């Protein structure tokens, strides 16, 4: 005797996994070896958040019915969820080999390949999915995600825009589209799609968080705060909204916010990102209240959590840095000026004044600020990973790819800025490829930089060293070594600009910049706070204020907290240490 699966399938379609589980258990008591019910039982376990418990059911179903295609695909999906990617790929390759038209298997194969870092295989599988489901938003969104992870922002944006034509009211798609539009220098469109997502789904928290961040980037703090408050009306313990509000609020507002943050902290999962975000929020509130003990305590807890979530590999970092420096020596081959607008690379440790410097340069009528560009690193990655030469052909290919990756620039643009922090590793490539490229290098007291980083919550794994004071000192020393190396090879094409001089007299510093770059100084360069450009970094709200010196030397007040970092700095690489008697 067997049960009719129709009620279970109906419950499955409505997402009622508990009912599916009950019906499957009842059916399996009557027919223990029924592969169909084993498959449904496994789906129910996975849907209820127990993917490990699902595996034996899938495996038994396949043992009893090796050609049960759906069960094999479901097993592969569960293995992807569990991170067992090699096993998942074996099942998926079997599926796509026997049925090349199985679009969902190709989608899973793409996810598995990307999970183990094989971008080419992931894209090939995603392309196959798109071919099998032409014009379908899901496949285009999957491929756009892969393009984005690989740094091909133009291709990601093109896929998302094509997907939007197919499904203009897809909320998840609108959210995914917002940031690539902002990065492509279309801030109005980025706001519009995020606003549309909120209109379609007013209680959709990711939609509201996305719109709030676009407001921050545009300098509209009041609109951002209103949106974060709306998120908290829906979910009072939402950690990201609480953290962002803490950074936007004044001291009085944060005193009213503090109890809500404390309440959320009590229920946040130990060791989670939410827990770290809430400690960062409390650290900000403590700083505004001059509560140094509370500041140090919450920063220590927040950063310790983040360091566990995103560990730093000092050995790998050292090996990569040394390999990149070994590629270039004095007298290295360099090409002449390129075609079209020339790049100004604004370099410096994160929080060293690069955003401010870009705003100063971007105020000039012939300079267009483009923020942190992924394209150069993406274009150079295959060459670096493969140990290939950066010969004349490779340099020409890089220039062509870089030009193709640029957004449409305003008429009259002669130069553009790129302030991607990781470009400091790539200086040899960037300057060798184009003779009219220049580097503006911000130097700031490393202790002030460390204090700022220790208080920040920075996105992305590239900055994972910032969550451990010893790791931060190690990375800073590597950075200083690399910049000294590049300065020795390209002495006339790198300008060192002390942050302390920039904020002390922005008029004089901007005049120096203009003269070195061959520009006629424009008075607007001395008023970067009046810039209307979007700012896609943590500095967004700070740059809307007039230039000030309040952060210079601030590390002295927190010297004890920074002691492990200061002890790890190499005095031979940091002359600033000797200047202050340390």
């Amino acid at each position: 005797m067997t049960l009719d699966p129709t009620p279970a399938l109906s419950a499955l379609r409505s997402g009622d996994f508990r009912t599916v589980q009950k019906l499957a258990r009842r059916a399996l008591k009557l027919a223990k070896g029924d592969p169909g019910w084993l498959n449904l039982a496994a789906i129910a376990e996975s849907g209820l958040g127990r993917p490990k418990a699902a595996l034996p059911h899938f495996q038994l179903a396949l043992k009893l019915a090796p050609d049960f295609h759906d069960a094999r695909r479901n097993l592969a999906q569960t293995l992807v969820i569990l991170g067992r990617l090699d096993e998942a790929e074996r099942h998926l390759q079997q599926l796509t080999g026997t049925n090349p038209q199985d679009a969902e298997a190709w989608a899973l194969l793409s996810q598995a390949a990307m999970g183990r870092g094989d971008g080419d295989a992931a894209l090939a599988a995603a392309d196959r999915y798109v071919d099998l489901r032409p014009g379908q938003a899901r496949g285009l969104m999957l491929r756009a995600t892969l393009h984005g992870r690989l740094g091909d922002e133009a291709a990601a944006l093109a896929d998302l825009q094509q997907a939007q034509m197919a499904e203009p009211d897809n909320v998840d798609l609108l959210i995914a589209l917002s940031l690539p539009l902002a990065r492509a220098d279309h801030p109005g469109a980025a706001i519009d799609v995020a606003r549309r997502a909120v209109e379609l789904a007013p209680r959709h928290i990711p939609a509201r968080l996305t719109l709030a961040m676009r407001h921050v980037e545009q300098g509209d703090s009041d609109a951002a705060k209103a949106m974060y408050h709306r998120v908290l009306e829906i979910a009072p313990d939402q950690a990201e909204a609480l953290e962002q509000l803490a950074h936007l609020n004044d001291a009085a507002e944060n005193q009213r916010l503090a109890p809500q943050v404390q309440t959320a902290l009590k229920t946040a999962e130990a060791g989670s990102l939410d827990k770290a975000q809430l400690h960062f929020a409390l650290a900000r509130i403590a700083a505004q209240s001059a509560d140094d003990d509370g500041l140090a305590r919450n920063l220590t807890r927040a950063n310790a959590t983040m360091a566990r979530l995103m560990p730093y590999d000092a050995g790998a970092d050292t090996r990569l840095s040394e390999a990149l420096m070994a590629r270039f020596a004095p007298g290295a081959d360099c090409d002449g000026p390129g075609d079209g607008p020339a790049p100004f690379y604004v370099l410096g440790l994160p929080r060293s004044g690069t955003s401010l410097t870009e705003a100063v340069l971007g105020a000039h009528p012939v300079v267009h600020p483009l923020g942190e560009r992924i394209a150069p690193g993406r274009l150079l990655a295959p060459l670096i990973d493969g140990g290939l030469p950066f010969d004349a052909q490779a340099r020409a290919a890089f220039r062509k790819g870089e030009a193709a990756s640029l957004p449409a620039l305003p008429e009259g643009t002669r130069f553009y800025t790129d302030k991607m922090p990781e470009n400091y590793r790539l200086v040899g490539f960037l300057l060798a490829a184009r003779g009219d490229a220049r580097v503006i290098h911000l130097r700031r007291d490393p202790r002030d930089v460390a204090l700022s980083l220790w208080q920040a919550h920075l996105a992305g794994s590239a900055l994972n060293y910032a969550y451990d004071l010893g790791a931060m000192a190690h990375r800073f020393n590597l950075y200083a070594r690399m910049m000294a190396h590049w300065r020795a090879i390209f002495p006339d094409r790198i300008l060192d600009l002390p942050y302390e001089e920039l904020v002390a007299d922005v008029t004089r510093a901007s005049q120096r910049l203009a003269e070195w770059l061959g520009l006629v100084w424009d008075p607007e360069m001395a008023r970067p706070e009046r810039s209307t450009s979007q700012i896609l970094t943590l500095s967004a709200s700070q740059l809307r204020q007039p230039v000030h010196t309040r952060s210079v030397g601030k590390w002295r007040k927190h010297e004890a907290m920074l002691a492990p970092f200061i002890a790890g700095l190499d005095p031979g690489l940091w002359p600033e240490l000797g200047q202050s008697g340390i």
Side-chain angles (χ1 to χ4, degrees):
M1 178 180 176
T2 60
L3 289 181
D4 179 5
T6 303
L9 294 173
S10 177
L12 182 61
R13 284 191 293 270
S14 65
D16 185 358
F17 296 108
R18 185 70 66 188
T19 295
V20 177
Q21 182 190 55
K22 290 179 180 178
L23 291 172
R25 284 177 175 173
R26 190 182 309 165
L28 288 171
K29 286 181 180 178
L30 298 172
K32 294 182 179 180
D34 188 307
W37 279 110
L38 286 165
N39 182 51
L40 286 171
I43 293 172
E45 292 289 355
S46 189
L48 290 169
R50 296 192 289 267
K52 286 185 180 179
L55 292 181
H57 296 300
F58 284 133
Q59 290 163 343
L60 180 55
L62 287 171
K63 182 178 180 180
L64 295 168
D67 295 330
F68 192 168
H69 194 90
D70 287 350
R72 192 172 298 279
R73 189 197 311 111
N74 293 334
L75 170 60
Q77 182 175 18
T78 304
L79 290 168
V80 169
I81 292 170
L82 292 170
R84 293 163 60 172
L85 303 177
D86 290 340
E87 293 176 66
E89 282 193 302
R90 286 196 294 271
H91 288 286
L92 291 165
Q93 286 163 356
Q94 181 176 339
L95 288 171
T96 55
T98 57
N99 183 7
Q101 305 304 307
D102 186 342
E104 298 307 315
W106 286 108
L108 289 169
L109 190 57
S110 177
Q111 294 171 36
M114 195 64 204
R116 60 178 179 79
D118 190 342
D120 290 340
L123 274 178
D127 286 340
R128 184 68 176 138
Y129 182 97
V130 172
D131 289 342
L132 292 167
R133 298 284 189 272
Q136 189 181 88
R138 183 184 171 210
L140 292 164
M141 289 175 67
L142 169 63
R143 192 167 67 181
T145 299
L146 297 174
H147 281 308
R149 290 181 183 175
L150 295 170
D152 193 343
E153 293 178 303
L157 181 57
D159 273 345
L160 290 171
Q161 289 174 321
Q162 184 181 347
Q164 188 189 20
M165 293 174 64
E167 297 185 26
D169 292 339
N170 183 320
V171 172
D172 291 333
L173 170 58
L174 292 168
I175 294 169
L177 183 55
S178 182
L179 181 56
L181 282 169
R183 285 177 171 165
D185 205 25
H186 300 304
I191 286 272
D192 288 344
V193 296
R195 186 176 289 118
R196 178 61 178 157
V198 170
E199 290 170 354
L200 289 166
R203 297 185 65 80
H204 196 292
I205 289 174
R208 289 192 174 275
L209 292 174
T210 299
L211 181 55
M213 186 51 64
R214 296 294 90 80
H215 285 311
V216 170
E217 294 158 1
Q218 289 298 303
D220 193 345
S221 295
D222 289 341
K225 288 160 68 172
M227 191 57 58
Y228 286 128
H229 278 296
R230 184 68 184 94
V231 169
L232 294 175
E233 290 174 11
I234 300 168
D237 59 352
Q238 215 288 324
E240 181 179 341
L242 289 166
E243 182 188 17
Q244 293 297 333
L245 262 181
H247 282 278
L248 292 169
N249 282 347
D250 61 28
E253 291 169 324
N254 267 340
Q255 286 306 308
R256 294 191 292 272
L257 185 69
Q260 189 170 351
V261 180
Q262 291 282 9
T263 298
L265 189 64
K266 292 175 183 177
T267 57
E269 183 181 350
S272 66
L273 175 60
D274 283 356
K275 200 86 167 179
Q277 288 178 310
L278 294 167
H279 278 301
F280 277 120
L282 290 173
R284 167 67 174 170
I285 295 169
Q288 287 179 320
S289 304
D291 177 5
D292 291 344
D293 290 341
L295 173 68
R297 181 175 62 255
N298 282 292
L299 287 179
T300 298
R301 292 173 179 172
N303 284 294
T305 298
M306 293 305 301
R308 287 191 293 270
L309 292 172
M310 302 172 64
Y312 173 66
D313 188 337
D317 205 3
T318 300
R319 290 189 294 274
L320 175 59
S321 299
E322 291 178 345
L324 292 171
M325 287 188 286
R327 280 176 165 269
F328 297 91
D333 291 338
C334 295
D335 291 337
D339 298 325
F344 293 157
Y345 296 103
V346 183
L347 301 183
L349 290 163
R351 316 297 292 161
S352 65
T354 55
S355 294
L356 173 59
T357 303
E358 183 181 53
V360 169
L361 291 169
H364 196 285
V366 302
V367 181
H368 191 67
L370 290 181
E372 298 179 358
R373 287 177 42 73
I374 299 174
R378 173 183 62 83
L379 292 167
L380 292 168
L383 183 145
I384 293 171
D385 294 343
L388 304 174
F390 197 52
D391 53 20
Q393 183 177 358
R395 295 194 297 272
F398 173 77
R399 288 193 300 274
K400 182 178 179 180
E402 170 72 339
S405 72
L406 292 173
L409 300 175
E411 186 176 352
T413 299
R414 292 172 47 206
F415 308 96
Y416 64 88
T417 60
D418 178 346
K419 60 171 290 290
M420 172 60 73
E422 291 301 291
N423 279 345
Y424 84 90
R425 298 185 188 274
L426 308 177
V427 169
F429 301 96
L430 302 176
L431 296 186
R434 188 158 177 166
D436 51 358
R438 294 291 181 271
V439 167
I440 299 96
H441 174 219
L442 271 293
R443 284 195 67 105
R444 184 182 182 186
D445 188 309
R447 294 158 295 190
D448 277 333
V449 176
L451 176 62
S452 185
L453 283 175
W454 194 238
Q455 295 181 87
H457 177 198
L458 301 166
S461 59
L463 299 172
N464 54 1
Y465 61 88
Y467 301 120
D468 180 283
L469 291 170
M472 205 186 317
H474 178 269
R475 166 58 82 93
F476 278 32
N477 289 337
L478 274 180
Y479 170 88
R481 281 180 56 202
M482 290 198 82
M483 289 309 303
H485 179 76
W486 302 133
R487 201 179 295 110
I489 297 172
F490 305 101
D492 300 327
R493 298 175 63 190
I494 299 176
L495 173 69
D496 285 327
L497 178 63
Y499 169 83
E500 292 77 9
E501 293 181 14
L502 174 63
V503 296
D505 191 342
V506 68
T507 298
R508 183 175 178 181
S510 64
Q511 290 171 338
R512 181 187 175 200
L513 274 172
E515 180 181 3
W516 188 75
L517 294 168
L519 301 172
V520 176
W521 182 73
D522 188 296
E524 284 299 304
M525 297 175 71
R527 298 296 302 273
E529 73 277 7
R530 301 206 303 209
S531 171
T532 58
S533 298
Q534 63 178 347
I535 302 164
L536 303 178
T537 68
L538 192 65
S539 305
S541 59
Q542 298 164 328
L543 285 180
R544 308 300 178 186
Q545 308 169 23
V547 177
H548 60 80
T549 61
R550 293 192 296 272
S551 296
V552 174
K554 198 173 180 179
W555 67 271
R556 292 185 178 87
K557 185 179 178 182
H558 305 282
E559 186 173 357
M561 182 173 68
L562 297 174
F565 167 78
I566 295 171
L569 289 176
D570 182 346
L573 296 171
W574 298 101
E576 294 89 340
L577 303 184
Q579 292 170 8
S580 58
I582 291 180

